[in-house]
Amino acid sequence: MDLGIAGKWALVCGASKGLGFGCAQALMREGGNVLLVARGGDVLQASADKLIAAYEGSTGATAKFVSEDITTPQGRQAVFAVRSDFDIVVTNAGGPPTGDFRDWDRDAWIRALDANMLTPIELIKATVDGMAARGFGRIVNITSGAVKAPIDILGLSNGARSGLTGFVAGVARSGLAAKGVTINNLLPGAFDTDRLQGVMQGAAKKTSQAIEVVMAARRNTIPARRFGTVEEFGAICAFLCSQHAGYINGQNVLADGGAYPGTF
């Protein structure tokens, strides 16, 4: 299937590894040009070089990278200094730390909101009008399966990402939709990433169990009996960004191997 995104420009945040890298990889595989953003300069450059080597010759796509913290005004300014117009934006920032809500002060909450709610809103605000003027735009916010099935130790993430979800529910159904711009949230369940390792370590510490025991127990809660891969997550993202997904808008797309137990 031709996704129809060859030659389009995508901004992918948190793209040096994990789910963000999987999305950048899938978009370049389809011929999309990507500006990768992440904080770790060396890892980011290595990731960009890897993608260019793999896809520039075969698909004609290219990659640029900016080593900045997208959750800060200075970081966003640096990104938009490289390129201001994007056809596709994939928002993604590292989740806040796990813990007990009793230990989180106001500053902890503000950091979580800045990274996982306000930054995506700022990126949406900066790009959607240009997308609408050109008649095509795709925004995919990488949030979390915890939006639908909250996890107690992820309270900061639960709160901030749920706030973003509420915002997107409104703006996705504004006049932007009639101008070819879709905004969706992609909710990962348990994917094999550094973030999953961190959450599992937090759970292991809280329950005084070995991390291997905690990981095995988590796998057993997933009907697929495995963790997801970044490659399959990226493929879902690429489809949501495609010309074929124009009628999917304002949705929370859950990718969790069937772990969520609800009917809706």
Side-chain angles (χ1 to χ4, degrees):
M1 181 186 291
D2 179 4
L3 297 189
I5 57 175
K8 297 191 180 298
W9 271 96
L11 170 63
V12 181
C13 304
S16 62
K17 57 185 178 179
L19 301 180
F21 179 81
C23 294
Q25 182 180 47
L27 292 169
M28 285 194 70
R29 186 183 294 122
E30 297 298 326
N33 303 309
V34 178
L35 177 60
L36 298 90
V37 183
R39 289 174 295 181
D42 292 341
V43 176
L44 180 61
Q45 181 170 358
S47 297
D49 291 344
K50 179 179 178 180
L51 293 176
I52 291 170
Y55 300 112
E56 191 170 55
S58 59
T59 69
T62 192
K64 296 181 179 180
F65 66 93
V66 177
S67 177
E68 290 284 349
D69 183 351
I70 196 67
T71 69
T72 67
Q74 296 82 2
R76 292 189 290 274
Q77 183 178 13
V79 168
F80 290 120
V82 174
R83 186 177 183 88
S84 58
D85 292 326
F86 294 95
D87 308 292
I88 295 165
V89 174
V90 180
T91 75
N92 178 35
T98 61
D100 187 316
F101 76 93
R102 298 170 185 83
D103 299 325
W104 298 325
D105 58 14
R106 175 179 170 80
D107 288 342
W109 279 106
I110 295 300
R111 285 193 297 271
L113 291 170
D114 272 339
N116 299 122
M117 178 182 172
L118 299 180
T119 290
I121 291 174
E122 289 294 330
L123 294 174
I124 292 168
K125 184 168 68 172
T127 57
V128 289
D129 290 334
M131 293 176 178
R134 294 186 296 274
F136 178 93
R138 300 286 185 266
I139 294 176
V140 176
N141 304 297
I142 299 177
T143 62
S144 171
V147 171
K148 286 182 69 71
I151 301 169
D152 63 345
I153 62 172
L154 295 181
L156 290 171
S157 178
N158 297 338
R161 298 189 195 278
S162 294
L164 175 64
T165 303
F167 169 80
V168 167
V171 74
R173 294 168 175 84
S174 68
L176 294 166
K179 297 178 181 179
V181 180
T182 68
I183 309 176
N184 292 290
N185 303 314
L186 184 48
L187 285 57
F191 279 78
D192 189 10
T193 64
D194 290 348
R195 171 65 172 172
L196 177 68
Q197 288 285 336
V199 172
M200 293 294 96
Q201 287 171 356
K205 181 179 180 180
K206 182 178 180 180
T207 59
S208 300
Q209 298 182 82
I211 189 168
E212 294 81 9
V213 173
V214 174
M215 296 280 279
R218 182 64 186 276
R219 276 193 296 269
N220 286 334
T221 67
I222 303 169
R225 291 297 187 270
R226 65 177 179 85
F227 298 129
T229 69
V230 298
E231 291 79 13
E232 60 192 339
F233 186 86
I236 299 169
C237 179
F239 178 77
L240 289 175
C241 296
S242 76
Q243 64 179 353
H244 307 293
Y247 213 53
I248 302 174
N249 185 43
Q251 301 303 307
N252 294 292
V253 180
L254 179 63
D256 70 348
Y260 175 66
T263 302
F264 302 106

